[in-house]
Amino acid sequence: MPNSQASLLGQRRFLPYFITQFFGAFNDNIFKNVLLLFVAFAGAGTLPVSSNLFINLAAGLFILPFFLFSASAGVLADKYEKAWFIRKVKLAEIGIMCLGAIGFITESYIILLILLFLMGTQSAFFGPVKYALLPQQLKSDELVPGNALVETGTFLAILLGTLGAGIIASAESAKYVAAICVVVFAVLGYTSSRSIPEAPASAPDLKFRWQPIKQTKQTIAIAKADRTIFQALMAISWFWFLGAAYLTQFPNFTKLHLNGSESAVSFLLALFSIGIAIGSLACDKLSNHRIEVGIVPLGSLGITVFGALMATSIPATLPDFASFSDFVAYQSLWPVFAYLLLLGVSGGIFIVPLYALMQQRAKETERAQVIAGLNIFNSLFMVGSAVLGIICLTILELTIPQLFLLLSVMNLLIAIYLCLQVPIFVVRFLLWILTHTMYRVTHKNLHNLPQKSGALLVCNHVSYMDALLLSAVCPRLIRFVMEEDYANLPPLRRFLNRAGVIPISATNRRSIVRAFNDVEQALAEGHIVCIFPEGKLTSDGEMNEFLRGMDLILKRSPVPVIPVALKGLWGSYFSRYKGSACKGLPSRFWSKIEIEVGTPVDSSLASTASMHQKVSELRGDWQ
């Protein structure tokens, strides 16, 4: 586990919250699945309605509160101190579970159905405060590792709760064991919530009135107000649409198409859940602990590819397995298992940056209401998933593998849409992978790069990879000033223009004037602009003199100037080490390079000579 995740788990501002949300998801799944197993094996005349109707009622009653109460929960979570609010919700869970224990012992299935609705209500009130708390307790660079751990904990809780329900339901005196367990786990969740540090109310003056319909409309309006947030909400809801479709079909898929038993169903669920946990943790590492939107379309593409491969890799003929071990050991099924695991990994990579982006971008006074909007849309999409399953499997009479293929095709369209929405960020993330594969890249003092305001980066110029390396390591989009001949190359021109590259030609006065105007506008809008003041690649590994363009920029735009040094690129294939760049064959691979960011310098103290000296000092003797 990366250090950032391990350190969070050791801190009071995160660990009690993590344990609380884990036990919440765990107990939900214990209660739901024990109830469904009791229903499945109930004797004739025990149930008030048929088994199938009861199971569908149970699913509907658990989701219904998310429609009814999410908006109210969002308003309350913004209005009150969050740790206090969580404790009240967890106390309500203890009360609900005490009644649930009575329902299990007395085998009163009507009471248990009502309690399932109450459990859904409790979850609807916990959801907004659960995610709104994170940005208050974590630093901005901890949001991705924090969300990665939350998603890992949630899916492992779902897995362990489902497996635990099977163990409880098959135990002697199962109804008493179930009654004790649900109360004990609720108490453990409340106990851990007692240690959550105070998180002040983000909108204490917010007026609350019990008007669920009106509040739902207001919450949806808030969620739609910011286009980026709304797109993130829709993408998260789409993930739950897919997740619900896969999880719902696993039992019949395993039984009908893989000749598996109940244990085999649990095994597939475990693979899927563990995959999502691995993907969530890997996402934090891949994105360098920052919100990297470019990874989302790649995760979506993985969902499509591995979902389709899983659906098409089912052996044509399968034996009747005598035991679970025979099922797992049957080598023709291993590709199915591998693709299912990778499907989960792709899902984890897809979901984590979206949650972090939503939390970071939402206004502090509306954050819980935005998450309440997410819960409403999640519920709608999960209902839509159930409707799709009924239409495809019952009316159209498709097989389950054909339904999985349809989901992959639908998701491919989503992946293409996401790529078109954030092409710059996708390419930047791919560049990060490419550059960190080609080189052993280390970074120093990236915290000196501003998180929001405009700044001018000045950097030594060693190779044609310089801009790509800087673009890959900076959390924000950098506007590079680039030689016009390169910026206007036909294959790249449109993309570079969208990436914000500012072309300039040293021999064309109109080009120079236009470039300086573009730089001034970019800095005024709060962008980071990077120039290579040497104006050309070094021919001997030493820094050339800086041209006076930087002084002209600062006269018009008095912004902080940040020196940046690239070290170790001299001698690379893309430098002029051999007289000209890209000459012959590469002579080294995975060489060690370093990018060091200096302390910002006030524009009044920055000059061509002083910044040349600062970049030179940063670089030192390492060419």
Side-chain angles (χ1 to χ4, degrees), residues 513-576:
V513 171
R514 185 172 62 248
F516 276 102
N517 288 337
D518 289 346
V519 169
E520 182 181 10
Q521 183 181 349
L523 291 170
E525 291 172 355
H527 291 284
I528 294 178
V529 175
C530 179
I531 60 172
F532 297 100
E534 295 168 87
K536 60 181 179 180
L537 298 184
T538 176
S539 57
D540 58 3
E542 298 301 326
M543 286 174 56
N544 299 308
E545 291 300 314
F546 282 6
L547 303 177
R548 57 187 292 269
M550 188 193 77
D551 294 333
L552 298 174
I553 290 171
L554 293 178
K555 273 186 182 179
R556 302 171 67 169
S557 306
V559 295
V561 186
I562 303 174
V564 181
L566 293 169
K567 313 173 193 179
L569 278 165
W570 179 246
S572 75
Y573 183 64
F574 301 97
S575 70
R576 288 180 172 165

Side-chain angles (χ1 to χ4, degrees), residues 593-606:
I593 65 172
E594 184 175 276
I595 301 170
E596 182 171 358
V597 181
T599 307
V601 177
D602 189 87
S603 59
S604 62
L605 303 174

